[in-house]
Amino acid sequence: MKYEPRNTTAEHDDDEMLMIEANIDDCQGEWMGYTMEKLLSSGANDVYFTPIIMKKNRPAYKLSVLAHQSKLPKLTQIIFTETTSFGIRHYPVTCHRIERKFEQVHTPWGAVNIKIGRHLGEIVQLSPEYEDCRRIALQFHLPLGTIYQQAIDRFQQNHMVPREEK
Amino acid sequence: MKYEPRNTTAEHDDDEMLMIEANIDDCQGEWMGYTMEKLLSSGANDVYFTPIIMKKNRPAYKLSVLAHQSKLPKLTQIIFTETTSFGIRHYPVTCHRIERKFEQVHTPWGAVNIKIGRHLGEIVQLSPEYEDCRRIALQFHLPLGTIYQQAIDRFQQNHMVPREEK
Amino acid sequence: MKYEPRNTTAEHDDDEMLMIEANIDDCQGEWMGYTMEKLLSSGANDVYFTPIIMKKNRPAYKLSVLAHQSKLPKLTQIIFTETTSFGIRHYPVTCHRIERKFEQVHTPWGAVNIKIGRHLGEIVQLSPEYEDCRRIALQFHLPLGTIYQQAIDRFQQNHMVPREEK
Amino acid sequence: MKYEPRNTTAEHDDDEMLMIEANIDDCQGEWMGYTMEKLLSSGANDVYFTPIIMKKNRPAYKLSVLAHQSKLPKLTQIIFTETTSFGIRHYPVTCHRIERKFEQVHTPWGAVNIKIGRHLGEIVQLSPEYEDCRRIALQFHLPLGTIYQQAIDRFQQNHMVPREEK
Amino acid sequence: MKYEPRNTTAEHDDDEMLMIEANIDDCQGEWMGYTMEKLLSSGANDVYFTPIIMKKNRPAYKLSVLAHQSKLPKLTQIIFTETTSFGIRHYPVTCHRIERKFEQVHTPWGAVNIKIGRHLGEIVQLSPEYEDCRRIALQFHLPLGTIYQQAIDRFQQNHMVPREEK
Amino acid sequence: MKYEPRNTTAEHDDDEMLMIEANIDDCQGEWMGYTMEKLLSSGANDVYFTPIIMKKNRPAYKLSVLAHQSKLPKLTQIIFTETTSFGIRHYPVTCHRIERKFEQVHTPWGAVNIKIGRHLGEIVQLSPEYEDCRRIALQFHLPLGTIYQQAIDRFQQNHMVPREEK
């Protein structure tokens, strides 16, 4: 098996990120899914919703958008255009991201990319790519978890010293 | 201090109750507070919202209405008229309610009604009435908790054997 | 404008539905999205997740699946295969669904289907189809809400008596 | 129809706002509604609750208060007096608010104020006032949504170029 | 490695279960953790909390207790004694549980029990016991996930046909 | 009764605190309880989880860790090692903590420590210690609330002027 690195990123701090938030108490749920999609395709690093309780018995959701500060005008415009918000707030956050590297492993049903995370040089995360696993699971009628488990197993066989030598 | 019973209800099972539910993913939050208000004033015993996640990334809320089965048509109509729901579901539930009795105690700032709950004859709940406590707290500029604590304290002084005799 | 009914369903009660539930405290979030997708494509009428708190500080989610009782074996198998659940529970629910009819309206940017809901013969819901609105919004770079509003507006112009006659 | 502007505010950034937060795991729910009410009447711009899970299986809520920094002492005192909190935290946030203007429209059942939001000069929000719509809905026994829809419809008729000219 | 079965239970339906629920809007969070503990040690099969929104802006939690119907009086008494509830509700649910069997595997750091779940004869779940994994993780200063992964890996080596023969 | 102060802390602001957050969408619930435990025993002041909705229908939880800035490297390492996170974010928060003092009171069933909170010199919080109350409740088979109420009652008798003199 050969390394097939892709998008390797070193561990780093990013001090130019913003958390942008809006409380949305009168917006349709299906519009919010649409808004999430637009924000992600317009440069947001992450988008999520949190259930909150607002005044006058109003069940609501908080929209949170993590993005580089340079994206603020574009993302703000999407929020004002697509949701019913009259105001947003934001504050700077420091993001610490571990080293990311991709490696491909070969399962009995095909190749799966694994996202490998290193913190201070040590591997701390092994995350098989969802879309790869999903495709195989649907094609071979296997449980999704089987593909994940197999991919991680193969990765470890490729990288660890043989067990009998331990 | 004299007993001033009001609305005493014996402990009982009620087998004629329904839980009525609707998942609402495209309704405004402020309409939902309004719907809660209308359902409660039209015979629902209890109304509450639960945050849920529906398909297509839709943040949503489940509306739950606990009511006697005879109220089903009226409450269903309110749900269909005031929310964006195309369907509701319901199932029978047995409600067990403990004995409720009200008694008035006299705090330094005025009278407060206490709801007393008995299970199998034993007092298990002492609940000062929120509206009484709120009124006093606002009038005398006192913390709400002080009124609650004082009301319960007075109730116990009225009913318990003197401490020195214990 | 001509009526283009599609899938018209009369208002009715359905007494053969089940609510199937499982508490899932050790399953990956991305597997849960996948499970939702498989359940919906295998006959579930509705699938949703509710945040819950389980013992030992475990943040978890409840999976809820609304389906006809005939689908129980198939859906149960998916839950056991795709999630980490060792047990599911279910109980019968009665579903009341209002009359559904689809009608197409013509907005300045193309046709949009509207789902019309009638309760006891009265129109109570007008719900433009999300996929139609989304497609137009993306194509014409318009806010999603503009398409919804326009579609409803057109429907009402087609069906209501002229305003000046009121 | 004539413009009846009220409280017009230009689009602006506000750099002097604080988000004040407290985790509350041993406070009664009805005290929290009371606390929300007191905070809003003492200068908080927004108050909301978020469900959280704390240690030792404790279901809890986070109280969030958005306010100008000058309000910190007053609001902090309310939180310490009315809830069971032993500590609060706060951090500065920048609020961006779009232009707000109010305009009255005349529906068949009476006047409704609409809050109009403009971002970079473009109308992005039309929000009929809840209290106006609620009053009419209760008086005329109409669905709340009908009043909202009618109010928006009237606004658009007043402001848009005639449809036949498009 | 030898099989060390423990508590093997065949796949089965249980028709004598109840879901017992109470909405709790004025109870301290730390009391709720205590109540969960007491309910579990008094015969409840499962206990969990769901965040809900009740009237008057009250953030609340629903307590859900899954138990055999014979436990109803005991569990009801605990709820009334330990929480502030004046009423509970319950409804019958059918529980379907898959076959459970325990097997011990030997990791490099000690033995770990694995709970094995079978649905219709097929293994669908492999769940290393949390307490075993936690003990090893703390003793050897290893990530918890490493123990889980290793335990599952060992189980599969013990049971699967050798990889080279595939 | 004698004062038995313990850990008295004056009211103060702490400007060196960080809120550290990570969105976790593919981590097991039981691992998260374990992570909370490790973070608290490694210097975090507070740890809590918030339910959130991430992209692709993924039910998830946000992990929040409040800690002194000097703890950042240690706590970050735990998050990367024990959860499936590839990135964390943090931002400075100012913590305001009221004066804390402990005092012991003697209930009929034994001693209970009470945490007393003072804001601007006024007592605003009286919080009987959970572990003390829990131990007594289990030993004497009493409701937990009874112990809390009795402890607060005793404190107030010790400190307030006699009622008949008022």
Side-chain angles (χ1 to χ4, degrees), chain E residues 15-78:
Chain E
D15 290 322
E16 302 185 326
M17 300 298 287
L18 290 180
M19 183 61 82
I20 309 165
E21 297 178 340
N23 290 5
I24 299 179
D25 76 337
D26 56 354
C27 184
Q28 303 190 1
E30 54 189 23
W31 298 11
M32 288 200 269
Y34 178 82
T35 303
M36 178 186 269
E37 185 189 330
K38 284 206 76 167
L39 291 167
L40 286 168
S41 70
S42 301
N45 290 49
D46 205 359
V47 180
Y48 61 96
F49 295 104
T50 309
I52 59 172
I53 306 173
M54 294 182 68
K55 58 184 176 181
K56 299 187 184 171
N57 285 322
R58 293 180 188 167
Y61 277 94
K62 181 176 75 169
L63 166 65
S64 298
V65 183
L66 182 68
H68 191 269
Q69 60 195 26
S70 64
K71 306 284 185 188
L72 180 62
K74 176 66 181 160
L75 300 174
T76 298
Q77 191 197 23
I78 292 172

Side-chain angles (χ1 to χ4, degrees), chain E residues 28 30-31 33-34 37-38 51 81-82 127-130 133-134 137-138 141-146 148-149, chain F residues 28 30-31 33-34 37-38 51 81-82 127-130 133-134 137-138 141-146 148-149:
Chain E
Q28 303 190 1
E30 54 189 23
W31 298 11
Y34 178 82
E37 185 189 330
K38 284 206 76 167
T81 309
E82 299 297 342
S127 177
E129 286 285 270
Y130 171 69
C133 296
R134 180 179 171 280
L138 292 175
H141 303 289
L142 288 164
L144 188 65
T146 299
Y148 272 79
Q149 178 69 27
Chain F
Q28 302 189 3
E30 54 189 23
W31 299 11
Y34 177 83
E37 185 189 332
K38 284 206 77 167
T81 309
E82 299 297 341
S127 177
E129 287 286 270
Y130 171 69
C133 296
R134 179 179 173 280
L138 291 175
H141 302 290
L142 287 165
L144 188 64
T146 299
Y148 273 77
Q149 177 69 27

Side-chain angles (χ1 to χ4, degrees), chain F residues 46-77:
Chain F
D46 204 0
V47 179
Y48 61 95
F49 295 104
T50 308
I52 59 172
I53 306 174
M54 295 182 68
K55 60 184 175 183
K56 297 188 185 173
N57 285 322
R58 291 179 188 169
Y61 278 93
K62 181 176 74 168
L63 167 65
S64 298
V65 183
L66 181 69
H68 190 268
Q69 60 194 26
S70 64
K71 305 285 184 186
L72 181 62
K74 176 65 181 162
L75 299 175
T76 298
Q77 189 196 24

Side-chain angles (χ1 to χ4, degrees), chain F residues 77-91:
Chain F
Q77 189 196 24
I78 292 172
I79 296 172
F80 286 132
T81 309
E82 299 297 341
T83 77
T84 53
S85 179
F86 275 80
I88 57 107
R89 57 187 180 269
H90 55 83
Y91 52 95

Side-chain angles (χ1 to χ4, degrees), chain D:
Chain D
M1 211 205 78
K2 289 191 298 295
Y3 270 71
E4 305 184 36
R6 188 183 69 180
N7 299 331
T8 302
T9 326
E11 186 161 25
H12 68 287
D13 267 339
D14 185 338
D15 290 322
E16 303 185 325
M17 301 298 288
L18 291 180
M19 183 62 81
I20 310 166
E21 296 178 340
N23 290 5
I24 299 180
D25 76 337
D26 56 354
C27 185
Q28 302 189 3
E30 54 190 22
W31 298 11
M32 287 201 269
Y34 177 83
T35 303
M36 177 186 271
E37 184 189 332
K38 283 204 78 167
L39 291 166
L40 286 168
S41 69
S42 301
N45 290 47
D46 205 359
V47 179
Y48 60 96
F49 296 103
T50 309
I52 60 173
I53 305 176
M54 296 182 68
K55 58 184 176 181
K56 300 189 184 171
N57 286 322
R58 293 180 189 166
Y61 278 92
K62 181 176 76 170
L63 167 65
S64 298
V65 183
L66 181 69
H68 190 268
Q69 59 195 25
S70 64
K71 306 284 185 186
L72 182 61
K74 175 66 181 163
L75 299 175
T76 299
Q77 190 195 24
I78 292 172
I79 296 174
F80 287 133
T81 309
E82 299 296 341
T83 77
T84 54
S85 179
F86 275 79
I88 58 107
R89 57 188 180 269
H90 55 83
Y91 51 95
V93 297
T94 300
C95 288
H96 183 87
R97 305 194 184 94
I98 58 176
E99 181 195 312
R100 295 172 189 226
K101 199 169 67 177
F102 287 83
E103 186 174 318
Q104 206 174 62
V105 297
H106 296 283
T107 73
W109 317 281
V112 170
N113 287 291
I114 293 188
K115 188 165 60 168
I116 303 152
R118 274 198 178 79
H119 177 55
L120 305 176
E122 293 290 313
I123 290 182
V124 288
Q125 308 295 354
L126 287 182
S127 178
E129 287 286 270
Y130 171 69
E131 298 297 346
D132 291 349
C133 295
R134 179 178 172 280
R135 184 177 34 74
I136 288 175
L138 291 176
Q139 184 185 344
F140 290 89
H141 304 288
L142 288 165
L144 189 64
T146 300
I147 321 301
Y148 273 77
Q149 178 69 28
Q150 184 64 237
I152 288 174
D153 198 45
R154 287 296 158 111
F155 178 88
Q156 290 180 329
Q157 284 182 276
N158 293 335
H159 288 271
M160 283 171 158
V161 293
R163 279 196 186 85
E164 53 273 34
E165 297 181 12
K166 272 188 183 169

